[in-house]
Structure formats: C-alpha cells, structure tokens
C-alpha cells in the first residue's frame, strides 16, 4: 500500500467514524481531517466538532449543506418524481453524492492522499460514496476501514474506544440504525429485521402515529414554480424552512411513514422504515400538477423515466451523464409545472383535493356534461370505428 499521510474522513461523531478516526492515526500514522455536514440531522455539530478534535483530528470542517442538498439533489428527484421501488423518497441515497462532492473538494484543497467513509461492505452507501468520489477525482484513494478492519462486533469497537479515550455516549444502545436528514429518515435493524413484525412506535423519530393524529383534517396549499415548491398557503419560504415546515405539519398528522422490503444494489433484500412527511406532501402535490398540466404522452414517458431516475440515484450513479440527461428531460416538463395544489392531511394520509395552474390543459367546456359542452360528439363515431378497426377485422377472420 502506498503511504497515506493525510486523509479526509466523512465523520458523523458516532461510534464507527470515531473509532475509524483513531484507527487511521494508529494504522497509518497519518493526519486525519474530519468533515461533517449539516444536512438537517438535528445534531449538535459543535459537539461533533469538539469530539473530532478530542479523538485526534488535525482539522475539522463543519459545513451547512442543507440548502444545497435540497436545491441541487432533493428537488431534482422531486421534479423527476423519483421513488425507489415506488415508495422510498431516497433521502439517504441523495445525501451520499453531496458528501462525496465535499470530500473530494476538501481533499483537493488540503492535498490529502485519500478520502475515508464509514459504510459497510454489504450496503448501498459504500457504492454511492465511492462511485461519487471516482467520478469526481479518479486519482483519489478511497479507504473503507469498516470493510477491512479487525473488529468483529460493536463490543470490540467499544472496547477499542474505551482503551483510546474516545468519548462514547453512555446512553442505552439504540436498537435501530438511523440515518437522518431534512429530506427523509431511514430506520433499520433491531426488530425491523423481521419483515412480518409491525414497526413498533419507538422506531419512529418524528411522526405521530396515525391513530393518535388529530381528528380534524388540515388543509395546505402548496405553490410551485417550474416544479420547485416555493410557498405554503400563499407565504413564500426558502427551501430549508419550507421543507422543515412541511415536516413539522406532516409529522403531526402521521404523514410520510413508509414500511418496505427493498432490493439493495448488492443483491440483499432489506426491511426499511422511512419517515418523510415533507417529501411525501411535496411528491403528492407535485404529481397533481403533472396530472393537470402535462400532455398524456409526456406524462406516460415520464412515468417510465421516474423509475429509471430513482434507480440511478439508489445505485450511486448520481454523477453520470444518464442522470444529467434525465434532468434535462424532467426540466423541460417542469417548465409547465407552476401552480397551486391543495392537499388534505388526515391521520397518516395526504390527499390532493384541488389544483390550479396557468398551464393547466384541463378544459371545462370539453369536459363538462352541462349545457356548456363544446365537445364535438359526432366525431366520436368515426373515432370509435377507426380505433376498433383491427379488432373488427380479427373478429371477421375468426
Ligand atoms: N436503505 C436505504 C438506502 O440505501 C437507507 C440506508 C440507511 N443507512 C442507515 N445507516 N440506516 O438508501
């Protein structure tokens, strides 16, 4: 192995990345720069910074990436209506490429030989980090200590941490593995590994259970400009406060819980639970504008490409020409998606109940059965004849 003198570590402050920090110093005698991003995980990053220094980091970068994360990653996925396997709004998957981008930027600025992540060898995140880094800097080395170090259990890591004076929270071990950001929360492990077991209430961090949600529905009007959400009930918001506000209101109504068995890229099926109240409200409202404003063929083709888009994101191929080309397609359709959608939140559901747009192609006089009806009924006769012609011919030949 070439010598490693300086590395940049994607650091969360948790047990794994803290042990990695110390382990790198011991194993390579190298300088470790820790990098933590605020992506809305609601943790005290001042503490994370202090902990990194205490554990031996030579320098710590703390960057607030919430707005960039939403604008350049999550809102693109929203404009594409990308939901992995029809359900998962991809919060974790969208977060990895922005972390990869900053790992590379910091490594280049600091003249580091390698970047380091704390993902395991059986998950999706290793792929997302590594393909992201490769695509942005093909010469940068990548280390994934959790894949090849000597520790076989959490206990062994804890023992190492204690021996090396790494501050470990003495709180009871959390029964779940949680990855949280402003777009969604991913929850796995513990009892959730039994796909038959209903997720216990303590698995959820922010949503009220639908049973305990208010008995009165709440209505919201979401405004979009070219597919980007910009206002709630007529009041403009910046991206971060808009999503935070929807998370809060949606969570109160138990909206945005997802329970699924999904296909990991490495071939394993895993049971995952997600919470994404804001994202789910936005996906529902945005889709409603599509229904109102897009022509049928565009809508149909987009349905296929949404699946592809979600797969690309999930599979770690964010920095790829395919994703960029798909964005160009989605941008074209989203040019028309300016308007308002009214949704109703009630006991775990979000239902669109109203929609309007200057680009609406809903035509009352064509749709109505009232006196105002302007559709040319006679044209229906010829249309049916020609549409049904192949089947008529087949029936005759039988
Ligand atoms: N299954 C999801 C994904 O691959 C979430 C992974 C979350 N990671 C975690 N440490 N809980 O995007």
């Amino acid at each position: 192995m070439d010598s490693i003198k300086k590395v940049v570590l994607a650091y969360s402050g948790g047990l794994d990345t803290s042990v990695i920090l110390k382990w790198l110093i011991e194993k390579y005698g190298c300088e470790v720069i820790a990098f933590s991003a605020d992506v809305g995980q609601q943790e005290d990053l001042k503490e994370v910074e202090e902990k990194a220094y205490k554990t031996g980091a030579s320098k710590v970068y703390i960057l607030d990436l919430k707005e960039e994360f939403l604008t350049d990653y999550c809102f693109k996925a929203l404009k594409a209506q990308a939901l992995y396997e029809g359900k998962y709004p991809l919060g974790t998957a969208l977060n990895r490429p922005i972390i990869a981008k900053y790992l590379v930027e910091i490594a280049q600025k600091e003249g580091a030989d390698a970047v380091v992540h704390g993902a395991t060898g059986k998950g999706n995140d290793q792929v997302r980090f590594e393909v992201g880094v490769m695509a942005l800097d093909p010469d940068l080395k990548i280390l994934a200590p959790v894949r090849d170090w000597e520790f076989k259990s959490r206990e062994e890591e804890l023992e190492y941490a204690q021996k090396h004076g790494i501050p470990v929270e003495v709180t009871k071990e959390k029964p779940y593995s949680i990855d949280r950001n402003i777009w969604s929360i991913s929850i796995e492990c513990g009892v959730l590994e039994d796909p038959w077991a209903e997720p216990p209430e303590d698995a959820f961090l922010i949503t009220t259970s639908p049973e305990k949600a208010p008995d009165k529905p709440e209505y919201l009007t979401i405004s979009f400009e070219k597919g980007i959400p910009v206002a709630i009930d007529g009041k403009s918001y910046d991206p971060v406060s808009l999503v935070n506000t929807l998370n809060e209101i949606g969570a109160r109504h138990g909206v945005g819980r997802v329970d699924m068995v999904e296909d990991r890229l490495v071939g394993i099926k895993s049971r995952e639970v997600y919470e994404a109240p804001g994202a789910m409200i936005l996906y529902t409202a945005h889709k409603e504008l599509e229904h109102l404003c897009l022509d049928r063929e565009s809508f149909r083709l987009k349905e296929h490409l949404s699946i592809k888009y979600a797969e690309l994101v999930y599979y770690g191929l964010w920095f790829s020409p395919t994703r960029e080309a798909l964005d160009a397609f989605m941008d074209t359709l989203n040019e028309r998606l300016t308007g308002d959608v009214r949704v109703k939140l009630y006991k775990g559901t979000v239902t669109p109940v109203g929609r309007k747009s200057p680009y609406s192609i809903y035509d009352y006089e064509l749709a109505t059965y009232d006196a105002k009806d302007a559709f040319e009924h006679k044209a229906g006769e010829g249309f049916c004849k020609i549409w049904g012609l192949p089947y008529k011919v087949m029936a005759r030949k039988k």
Side-chain angles (χ1 to χ4, degrees):
M1 170 77 101
D2 310 321
S3 78
I4 304 268
K5 292 195 187 66
K6 195 196 269 190
V7 300
V8 183
L9 164 67
Y11 181 72
S12 72
L15 180 65
D16 283 343
T17 53
S18 297
V19 171
I20 289 175
L21 207 172
K22 188 60 105 198
W23 183 88
L24 287 166
I25 298 171
E26 278 209 321
K27 172 144 175 126
Y28 297 105
C30 64
E31 186 184 322
V32 181
I33 298 168
F35 155 53
S36 293
D38 179 359
V39 285
Q41 66 272 50
Q42 308 282 338
E43 269 165 20
D44 185 345
L45 288 178
K46 201 75 215 140
E47 272 173 27
V48 172
E49 181 178 5
E50 274 167 29
K51 189 169 175 186
Y53 278 121
K54 264 194 215 141
T55 313
S58 64
K59 193 165 180 182
V60 182
Y61 279 82
I62 304 282
L63 303 177
D64 180 353
L65 301 180
K66 291 192 291 292
E67 176 149 347
E68 183 179 341
F69 175 51
L70 287 176
T71 313
D72 291 356
Y73 298 81
C74 305
F75 287 176
K76 286 188 170 154
L78 171 67
K79 284 167 78 178
Q81 281 287 327
L83 291 173
Y84 185 64
E85 296 186 335
K87 293 171 99 169
Y88 164 41
L90 294 160
T92 298
L94 288 161
N95 174 250
R96 299 323 184 204
I98 190 173
I99 301 298
K101 179 183 156 198
Y102 279 91
L103 276 174
V104 169
E105 266 184 39
I106 296 169
Q108 288 172 344
K109 187 169 142 209
E110 296 283 348
D113 318 292
V115 294
V116 190
H117 67 76
T120 70
K122 61 192 275 191
N124 299 310
D125 287 334
Q126 55 174 344
V127 183
R128 298 166 184 156
F129 283 129
E130 296 190 23
V131 178
V133 170
M134 280 174 214
L136 296 172
D137 186 341
D139 298 320
L140 199 55
K141 289 192 199 75
I142 304 167
L143 305 176
V146 175
R147 264 194 324 232
D148 37 47
W149 66 16
E150 61 277 21
F151 310 116
K152 281 180 201 70
S153 65
R154 194 182 153 83
E155 284 62 44
E156 288 184 30
E157 279 185 61
L158 280 169
E159 206 177 289
Y160 180 91
Q162 246 130 34
K163 207 168 87 200
H164 291 83
I166 299 171
V168 177
E169 280 176 56
V170 281
T171 50
K172 213 168 101 242
E173 191 190 325
K174 286 191 213 101
Y176 308 106
S177 156
I178 295 167
D179 181 65
R180 178 172 184 176
N181 61 53
I182 188 170
W183 197 238
S184 68
I185 305 175
S186 306
I187 307 149
E188 54 189 354
C189 302
V191 290
L192 302 175
E193 286 175 357
D194 173 3
W196 180 250
E198 179 175 356
E201 271 314 305
D202 75 352
F204 298 101
L205 271 64
I206 59 171
T207 51
T208 312
S209 81
E211 291 92 330
K212 294 211 180 100
D215 293 320
K216 236 174 74 107
E218 185 166 350
Y219 290 86
L220 295 175
T221 300
I222 320 277
S223 305
F224 291 84
E225 266 168 33
K226 299 187 177 186
I228 301 290
V230 293
I232 306 167
D233 291 336
K235 186 171 170 244
S236 300
Y237 286 86
D238 63 83
V240 173
S241 50
L242 183 131
V243 175
N244 277 333
T245 303
L246 291 178
N247 275 337
E248 205 185 297
I249 302 173
R252 211 161 54 222
H253 289 276
V255 166
R257 289 186 173 187
V258 177
D259 174 358
M260 68 191 285
V261 173
E262 73 189 34
D263 289 287
R264 284 196 198 157
L265 181 54
V266 295
I268 300 168
K269 283 209 185 278
S270 81
R271 200 296 181 80
E272 305 273 344
V273 171
Y274 299 103
E275 287 181 282
M280 287 315 194
I281 293 171
L282 290 172
Y283 268 80
T284 303
H286 178 271
K287 182 136 204 176
E288 213 45 36
L289 266 191
E290 292 185 338
H291 281 298
L292 186 69
C293 302
L294 297 184
D295 62 288
R296 184 174 59 197
E297 293 314 309
S298 295
F299 186 91
R300 293 286 185 275
L301 179 56
K302 186 230 57 183
E303 292 277 278
H304 293 283
L305 297 181
S306 297
I307 296 172
K308 198 69 216 168
Y309 198 106
E311 284 175 2
L312 283 177
V313 174
Y314 192 91
Y315 296 169
L317 304 181
W318 181 265
F319 297 108
S320 67
T322 329
R323 197 269 305 163
E324 285 173 19
L326 286 177
D327 272 334
F329 174 87
M330 299 300 173
D331 283 346
T332 303
L333 298 195
N334 276 273
E335 282 289 315
R336 301 181 61 81
L337 303 185
T338 294
D340 298 338
V341 178
R342 199 157 170 260
V343 295
K344 176 177 170 177
L345 311 181
Y346 181 64
K347 293 206 177 283
T349 62
V350 47
T351 314
V353 294
R355 63 292 276 162
K356 63 178 181 196
S357 162
Y359 297 96
S360 165
I361 44 180
Y362 176 87
D363 187 321
Y364 170 76
E365 295 192 353
L366 286 178
T368 186
Y369 286 95
D370 297 351
K372 278 243 161 52
D373 186 358
F375 186 78
E376 204 187 319
H377 286 248
K378 282 233 160 304
E381 191 187 335
F383 178 77
C384 293
K385 272 189 188 151
I386 291 171
W387 185 247
L389 185 60
Y391 312 101
K392 193 170 181 174
V393 172
M394 281 176 90
R396 284 242 162 84
K397 300 274 177 197
K398 249 191 220 157

